[in-house]
Coordinates of all heavy atoms in Angstrom, one line a residue:
K99 N 0.8 5.4 0.3 CA -0.1 6.5 0.8 C 0.3 7.8 0.1 O 1.4 8.3 0.2 CB 0.0 6.7 2.3 CG -1.0 7.7 2.9 CD -1.0 7.7 4.4 CE -2.0 8.6 5.0 NZ -2.1 8.5 6.4
L101 N -0.4 11.8 0.1 CA -0.9 12.9 1.0 C -1.0 14.2 0.1 O 0.0 14.6 -0.4 CB 0.0 13.1 2.2 CG -0.4 14.2 3.1 CD1 -1.6 13.9 3.9 CD2 0.8 14.5 4.1
V103 N -1.4 18.1 0.2 CA -1.1 19.2 1.2 C -1.5 20.5 0.6 O -1.0 20.9 -0.5 CB 0.4 19.2 1.6 CG1 0.6 20.3 2.6 CG2 0.8 17.9 2.1
E132 N -4.9 10.8 1.7 CA -5.3 11.7 2.8 C -5.1 13.1 2.4 O -4.2 13.4 1.6 CB -4.4 11.3 4.1 CG -4.9 12.1 5.3 CD -4.1 11.7 6.6 OE1 -3.2 10.8 6.5 OE2 -4.4 12.2 7.7
I134 N -4.5 17.2 4.0 CA -4.2 18.1 5.1 C -4.1 19.5 4.5 O -3.9 19.7 3.4 CB -3.0 17.7 5.9 CG1 -1.7 17.8 5.1 CG2 -3.1 16.4 6.6 CD1 -0.4 17.7 5.9
W156 N 14.0 17.5 17.1 CA 13.0 18.3 16.4 C 13.0 19.7 16.8 O 13.6 20.1 17.8 CB 11.6 17.6 16.6 CG 11.6 16.2 16.1 CD1 11.6 15.1 16.8 CD2 11.5 15.8 14.7 NE1 11.6 14.0 16.0 CE2 11.5 14.4 14.7 CE3 11.3 16.5 13.5 CZ2 11.4 13.7 13.5 CZ3 11.3 15.8 12.3 CH2 11.3 14.4 12.3
Q160 N 6.7 25.4 19.4 CA 5.5 24.6 19.7 C 4.3 25.3 19.1 O 3.9 26.3 19.5 CB 5.3 24.5 21.3 CG 6.4 23.8 22.0 CD 6.6 22.3 21.5 OE1 5.6 21.6 21.4 NE2 7.8 21.9 21.2
D161 N 3.8 24.7 18.1 CA 2.6 25.2 17.4 C 1.9 24.0 16.7 O 2.1 22.8 17.0 CB 2.9 26.3 16.5 CG 3.9 26.0 15.4 OD1 4.2 24.8 15.2 OD2 4.5 27.0 14.8
D162 N 1.1 24.3 15.6 CA 0.4 23.2 14.9 C 1.3 22.4 13.9 O 0.8 21.5 13.3 CB -0.8 23.8 14.2 CG -1.8 24.4 15.1 OD1 -2.0 23.8 16.2 OD2 -2.5 25.4 14.8
C163 N 2.5 22.8 13.7 CA 3.3 22.2 12.7 C 3.6 20.7 13.1 O 3.7 19.9 12.2 CB 4.7 23.0 12.6 SG 5.6 22.5 11.2
Q164 N 3.8 20.4 14.4 CA 4.1 19.1 14.7 C 3.0 18.1 14.3 O 3.3 17.0 13.8 CB 4.3 18.9 16.3 CG 5.6 19.6 16.8 CD 5.4 21.1 17.0 OE1 4.4 21.7 16.7 NE2 6.5 21.7 17.4
E165 N 1.8 18.5 14.5 CA 0.7 17.6 14.1 C 0.7 17.3 12.6 O 0.5 16.2 12.1 CB -0.6 18.2 14.4 CG -1.9 17.5 14.0 CD -3.2 18.3 14.2 OE1 -3.1 19.3 14.9 OE2 -4.2 17.8 13.6
L166 N 0.9 18.4 11.8 CA 1.0 18.2 10.3 C 2.2 17.4 9.9 O 2.1 16.5 9.0 CB 1.0 19.6 9.7 CG -0.2 20.5 9.8 CD1 0.0 21.8 9.1 CD2 -1.5 19.8 9.3
L167 N 3.3 17.6 10.6 CA 4.5 16.8 10.2 C 4.4 15.3 10.5 O 4.9 14.5 9.7 CB 5.7 17.4 10.9 CG 6.4 18.6 10.3 CD1 7.6 19.1 11.2 CD2 6.9 18.3 8.9
E168 N 3.6 15.0 11.5 CA 3.4 13.6 11.8 C 2.7 12.9 10.6 O 3.0 11.8 10.2 CB 2.6 13.4 13.1 CG 3.5 13.7 14.3 CD 2.7 13.6 15.6 OE1 1.5 13.1 15.5 OE2 3.2 13.9 16.7
K169 N 1.7 13.6 10.1 CA 0.9 13.1 8.9 C 1.8 13.1 7.7 O 1.8 12.2 6.9 CB -0.3 13.9 8.7 CG -1.4 13.8 9.8 CD -2.6 14.6 9.5 CE -3.6 14.5 10.6 NZ -4.2 13.2 10.7
F170 N 2.6 14.1 7.6 CA 3.5 14.2 6.5 C 4.5 13.1 6.4 O 4.7 12.4 5.3 CB 4.3 15.6 6.5 CG 4.9 16.0 5.3 CD1 4.2 16.7 4.3 CD2 6.3 15.7 5.0 CE1 4.8 17.1 3.1 CE2 6.9 16.1 3.9 CZ 6.1 16.8 2.9
M171 N 5.1 12.7 7.5 CA 6.1 11.7 7.5 C 5.5 10.3 7.3 O 6.2 9.4 6.9 CB 6.9 11.7 8.8 CG 7.8 12.9 9.0 SD 8.8 12.9 10.5 CE 7.5 13.1 11.7
A172 N 4.2 10.2 7.6 CA 3.6 8.8 7.5 C 3.2 8.5 6.0 O 2.8 7.4 5.7 CB 2.3 8.8 8.3
A173 N 3.3 9.5 5.1 CA 2.9 9.3 3.7 C 4.1 8.9 2.9 O 5.3 9.0 3.3 CB 2.4 10.6 3.2
D174 N 3.9 8.3 1.7 CA 4.9 7.9 0.8 C 5.1 8.9 -0.3 O 6.2 9.0 -0.9 CB 4.5 6.5 0.2 CG 4.3 5.5 1.3 OD1 5.2 5.2 2.0 OD2 3.1 5.0 1.4
Y176 N 3.6 12.9 -2.1 CA 2.9 14.1 -1.8 C 2.5 14.8 -3.0 O 3.2 14.9 -4.0 CB 3.8 15.1 -1.0 CG 4.6 14.4 0.1 CD1 5.9 14.0 0.0 CD2 3.9 14.1 1.3 CE1 6.5 13.4 1.1 CE2 4.5 13.5 2.4 CZ 5.8 13.1 2.2 OH 6.5 12.5 3.3
F194 N 5.7 26.1 6.5 CA 5.6 24.7 6.8 C 6.9 24.0 6.3 O 7.5 23.2 7.1 CB 4.4 24.1 6.1 CG 4.2 22.6 6.4 CD1 4.2 22.1 7.6 CD2 4.0 21.8 5.3 CE1 4.0 20.7 7.8 CE2 3.8 20.4 5.5 CZ 3.8 19.9 6.8
R197 N 10.0 24.7 8.4 CA 10.0 24.0 9.7 C 10.5 22.5 9.5 O 10.6 21.8 10.5 CB 8.7 24.1 10.4 CG 8.4 25.5 10.8 CD 9.2 25.9 12.1 NE 8.7 25.0 13.2 CZ 7.6 25.1 13.8 NH1 6.7 26.1 13.5 NH2 7.2 24.3 14.8
M198 N 10.6 22.1 8.3 CA 11.1 20.7 8.0 C 12.6 20.6 8.1 O 13.1 19.5 7.7 CB 10.6 20.2 6.6 CG 9.1 20.0 6.5 SD 8.7 19.4 4.9 CE 7.0 19.8 4.8
L201 N 14.0 17.4 9.3 CA 13.9 16.2 8.4 C 15.1 16.0 7.5 O 15.5 14.9 7.2 CB 12.6 16.4 7.6 CG 11.3 16.0 8.3 CD1 10.1 16.3 7.3 CD2 11.2 14.6 8.7
L208 N 14.5 9.6 6.7 CA 13.0 9.6 6.7 C 12.4 10.1 5.4 O 11.3 9.7 5.1 CB 12.5 10.5 7.8 CG 12.8 10.1 9.3 CD1 12.2 11.1 10.3 CD2 12.2 8.7 9.6
M209 N 13.2 10.8 4.6 CA 12.6 11.4 3.4 C 13.3 10.9 2.1 O 13.0 11.3 1.0 CB 12.7 13.0 3.4 CG 12.1 13.6 4.7 SD 10.4 13.1 4.9 CE 9.7 14.0 3.5
K212 N 11.0 9.4 -0.5 CA 9.7 10.0 -0.7 C 9.6 10.6 -2.1 O 10.6 11.1 -2.7 CB 9.4 11.0 0.4 CG 9.6 10.5 1.8 CD 8.4 9.6 2.2 CE 8.6 9.3 3.7 NZ 7.4 8.6 4.3

Side-chain angles (χ1 to χ4, degrees):
K99 185 172 186 177
L101 179 69
V103 182
E132 187 175 1
I134 62 173
W156 297 102
Q160 298 299 309
D161 56 17
D162 295 328
C163 192
Q164 288 82 359
E165 175 189 348
L166 295 178
L167 276 177
E168 288 179 8
K169 294 179 180 293
F170 196 84
M171 290 183 292
D174 303 298
Y176 312 103
F194 181 51
R197 292 283 297 285
M198 293 183 198
L201 280 178
L208 295 177
M209 305 305 291
K212 307 283 188 174

